[in-house]
Amino acid sequence: MPREEMLPSESEWLIMETLWNCDHDLTSSEITERLPGSSSMTQRMVRVLINRLCKKGLLSYTVDPHDSRVYHYTATKGRDELRREKSKAFANSYFGGNTAGAAFAFLENEKLTKEQIAELEAIIKKSKKQ
């Protein structure tokens, strides 16, 4: 599977977010119940997406010891790690790999808070040291 296809789609990302926001593994029914209110995903669709995420290696599962028909899912990668990978793929696809160009495109039309500016300055400072 090509590298970009190993990353979660927008719908798959919702499932990942649901798992990241929870301290423990979840069944497909629990994931469906915890999806954001704006999501109109059916239980069947959630199971399809979970299957795709498992094939991509982004979810793992254990079989319930009391009921072999029930699977408990856990994210195998953290939010920050996948965010970095998705950002890099985005920069490669739309900015020829120029991550600074991608960042500039986002920033030039945004009004930043003092906290966000301080964060950017810290990132730049850290980058200068490397």
Side-chain angles (χ1 to χ4, degrees), residues 87-102:
S87 297
K88 190 172 202 144
F90 177 80
N92 286 337
S93 293
Y94 298 99
F95 294 90
N98 181 351
T99 53

Side-chain angles (χ1 to χ4, degrees), residues 37-75:
S38 61
S39 173
S40 58
M41 279 193 250
T42 64
Q43 175 68 32
R44 181 182 165 113
M45 186 63 189
V46 168
R47 284 196 306 265
V48 167
L49 295 172
I50 286 172
N51 188 35
R52 287 182 192 166
L53 288 165
C54 286
K55 285 181 180 175
K56 291 178 179 183
L58 300 176
L59 293 185
S60 65
Y61 64 87
T62 56
V63 179
D64 190 288
H66 306 294
D67 186 349
S68 62
R69 297 170 298 168
V70 177
Y71 290 36
H72 298 267
Y73 298 95
T74 307

Side-chain angles (χ1 to χ4, degrees), residues 14 17 22 24 30 50 54 56 65 76 103 121:
L14 288 175
E17 283 285 350
C22 188
H24 53 85
E30 292 170 329
I50 286 172
C54 286
K56 291 178 179 183
T76 59
E121 289 171 340

Side-chain angles (χ1 to χ4, degrees), residues 4-126:
E4 197 162 305
E5 289 181 23
M6 297 300 290
L7 296 172
S9 67
E10 208 171 309
S11 297
E12 292 166 346
W13 192 272
L14 288 175
I15 290 170
M16 297 297 292
E17 283 285 350
T18 301
L19 285 162
W20 289 324
N21 291 334
C22 188
D23 296 10
H24 53 85
D25 55 12
L26 296 172
T27 65
S28 61
S29 296
E30 292 170 329
I31 291 170
T32 304
E33 290 170 9
R34 292 174 187 233
L35 284 171
S38 61
S39 173
S40 58
M41 279 193 250
T42 64
Q43 175 68 32
R44 181 182 165 113
M45 186 63 189
V46 168
R47 284 196 306 265
V48 167
L49 295 172
I50 286 172
N51 188 35
R52 287 182 192 166
L53 288 165
C54 286
K55 285 181 180 175
K56 291 178 179 183
L58 300 176
L59 293 185
S60 65
Y61 64 87
T62 56
V63 179
D64 190 288
H66 306 294
D67 186 349
S68 62
R69 297 170 298 168
V70 177
Y71 290 36
H72 298 267
Y73 298 95
T74 307
T76 59
K77 288 190 176 187
R79 180 184 281 125
D80 291 339
E81 181 182 3
L82 268 182
R83 225 181 242 150
R84 281 190 298 276
E85 290 179 22
K86 284 279 275 186
S87 297
K88 190 172 202 144
F90 177 80
N92 286 337
S93 293
Y94 298 99
F95 294 90
N98 181 351
T99 53
F104 297 152
F106 284 114
L107 294 173
E108 68 187 356
N109 295 316
E110 292 297 317
K111 182 172 175 144
L112 301 176
T113 65
K114 288 181 182 181
E115 293 81 16
Q116 290 169 324
I117 292 169
E119 260 185 88
L120 279 171
E121 289 171 340
I123 291 169
I124 292 168
K125 187 176 181 180
K126 181 180 174 185

